[in-house]
Amino acid sequence: MDLLSPLSAVILTYREADANALGRIGEEMRRCIEVIGPKTPMFVLHTCHRVEAYLYGASEEELSSLVERYKRHVESARILRGIEAARHLFRVAAGLESMLLGETDILGQLEEAYDRQVRAGFTRGLLKTVVERAVRVGKKVRTETGISRGPAGLGSLSIIYVSQFVDLKSAKVAVLGAGAVGAGLAKELAERGVAKLYILNRTLEKATEVAKKTGAEARPLTREEVERCLLECDVVFSAVHTLEYVIDMIPPGASVKVVVDLGVPQSVAPGLPIKVVRLSDLAELAQRYSALRKEEAKKAEAIVEEELEMLPKALAKRAVEEAVAEVMARAVEIAEEEGRRAGCEVAQLAAKTTVKRLLLPIVEELKKMAENGRVEHALEVSQIFTRLVGRPMESHKT
């Protein structure tokens, strides 16, 4: 049984589309996951350089509708299936598909999206396992190779780029957005010893959390506070996801010299009378650092392939766990009922303990069967148990 065959992905990256198109499709996928996610397991990764939608067990109709949503904004998008979809996600987590090889921002963004979508109930079942393993790959690559030595991501590159024009140690700096990228920017700017640092976020609590870690001042992300930062600061970094410009004018008497737009879609309006640094401006710098990481990238690719070989066993184990979970739950329910019939809590506890002691060795054996390639047999036995335990017993009818 090939448990990877139901996996599919629709992929669009910075190589095929600009930031504005990616931003529009990202918003489209945010709405799409709320429609498809409750019915079919789904995971969406939307960053400044990609919009990727992964599904498990999707019908051709669902997949086609997803592709059509992409095509509202671009001519085409790649469709990957099975092991190729998993390989791509593992490579993304490892930083092998990024503009800057080995960037660490993507791993934080992946974890952030995973946590949010698991809590929402969209990413579940065997798809949850695939994404979990991707996160594991990303962490392993950063631990066992030197692919991330140097600039951590596009935020780091933007700081290097800006330092050509501004002495950051004597500068007042604002970061708009306190997500994975904004928090990373704040951390690095603080380490560089900027004169004053402000963190703005729509949720002030999140801004406060980042500010405490970096010695910064937290402010709400409002139009008034953004204008205040433009008046007071030398540099403003924008790392927010929004469909509207957060900076669309420079107020008279503003101190700001450089604005960095890391938003997708672009969060800073064109035509402003100051220097605006955009993602495209960082490409040459990214290529320069990526060239230094090519040998480490080979090691990362080897890790990706090793982990990919282990993925089917991990999926098999999870499949059996899910299949027997219902058995365990029903068996414990029956045990509790029999304990209540006996009329005391001790009997109830004893019945539950006995059931667990009886079933757990069977469950572990089924997991081993699955891991050793006998997935179909393990699932068949699990289904038999599910049917048997689910049947009402004679004593329950009295």
Side-chain angles (χ1 to χ4, degrees), residues 316 320 365-366 368-379:
V320 171
E365 190 60 34
L366 289 172
K368 288 178 184 177
M369 286 174 63
E371 288 177 330
N372 292 330
R374 300 170 63 196
V375 183
E376 290 185 26
H377 291 96
L379 290 176

Side-chain angles (χ1 to χ4, degrees), residues 379-396:
L379 290 176
E380 186 178 348
V381 173
S382 302
Q383 288 163 3
I384 291 171
F385 269 97
T386 302
R387 289 197 299 272
L388 291 174
V389 175
R391 288 178 185 168
M393 296 172 62
E394 288 300 317
S395 61
H396 297 163

Side-chain angles (χ1 to χ4, degrees), residues 149-349:
R149 292 196 190 112
L154 295 183
S156 298
L157 289 183
S158 69
I159 292 173
I160 293 171
Y161 190 93
V162 167
S163 64
Q164 300 173 87
F165 311 103
V166 179
D167 178 9
L168 291 174
K169 288 189 176 180
S170 61
K172 291 182 178 180
V173 182
V175 176
L176 313 184
V181 175
L185 276 168
K187 181 177 181 292
E188 190 163 341
L189 287 164
E191 289 171 351
R192 283 176 171 262
V194 296
K196 182 66 178 177
L197 182 60
Y198 303 96
I199 311 297
L200 283 70
N201 199 61
R202 290 189 182 90
T203 306
L204 185 58
E205 290 78 8
K206 182 67 175 175
T208 302
E209 180 186 326
V210 174
K212 283 180 179 178
K213 294 177 182 177
T214 55
E217 179 182 321
R219 293 178 176 179
L221 181 57
T222 63
R223 188 173 184 84
E224 293 73 23
E225 289 296 342
V226 169
E227 183 174 334
R228 182 180 169 195
C229 285
L230 294 170
L231 287 167
E232 297 176 355
C233 296
D234 301 288
V235 184
V236 175
F237 292 83
S238 177
V240 296
H241 289 300
T242 176
L243 296 179
E244 299 178 353
Y245 294 133
V246 291
I247 300 177
D248 58 8
M249 54 85 69
I250 303 299
S255 297
V256 67
K257 301 176 182 67
V258 181
V259 172
V260 180
D261 186 4
L262 299 176
V264 176
Q266 293 176 351
S267 58
V268 178
L272 298 182
I274 58 165
K275 183 169 184 60
V276 176
V277 179
R278 302 195 188 273
L279 290 169
S280 56
D281 297 317
L282 305 177
E284 185 179 339
L285 203 53
Q287 289 174 4
R288 193 187 312 166
Y289 281 100
S290 292
L292 301 175
R293 298 175 172 182
K294 285 188 176 177
E295 288 304 310
E296 296 303 309
K298 292 177 183 177
K299 298 176 187 176
E301 287 173 342
I303 290 173
V304 165
E305 294 304 316
E306 288 170 8
E307 291 291 323
L308 208 55
E309 286 183 13
M310 293 188 283
L311 181 58
K313 284 188 176 182
L315 291 175
K317 183 178 178 182
R318 176 62 67 86
V320 171
E321 286 173 346
E322 290 189 345
V324 300
E326 185 180 344
V327 177
M328 290 293 291
R330 179 62 183 139
V332 168
E333 183 185 326
I334 292 171
E336 288 178 333
E337 186 175 336
E338 293 302 317
R340 283 194 296 272
R341 287 174 181 275
C344 68
E345 289 185 7
V346 174
Q348 191 175 337
L349 179 61

Side-chain angles (χ1 to χ4, degrees), residues 89-153:
L89 183 58
F90 281 21
R91 287 179 60 84
V92 168
L96 292 167
E97 295 293 326
S98 298
M99 180 187 287
L100 173 63
L101 274 177
E103 61 149 326
T104 56
D105 287 346
I106 186 63
L107 186 55
Q109 291 165 329
L110 180 61
E111 287 187 281
E112 197 175 78
Y114 168 79
D115 290 341
R116 184 173 63 254
Q117 292 170 44
V118 167
R119 286 197 305 271
F122 301 142
T123 305
R124 59 191 185 279
L126 297 190
L127 179 59
K128 182 171 178 279
T129 300
V130 173
V131 184
E132 281 173 354
R133 300 294 285 201
V135 172
R136 164 182 156 141
V137 168
K139 291 180 177 178
K140 189 174 182 180
V141 163
R142 270 69 175 197
T143 301
E144 297 184 8
T145 77
I147 196 171
S148 297
R149 292 196 190 112

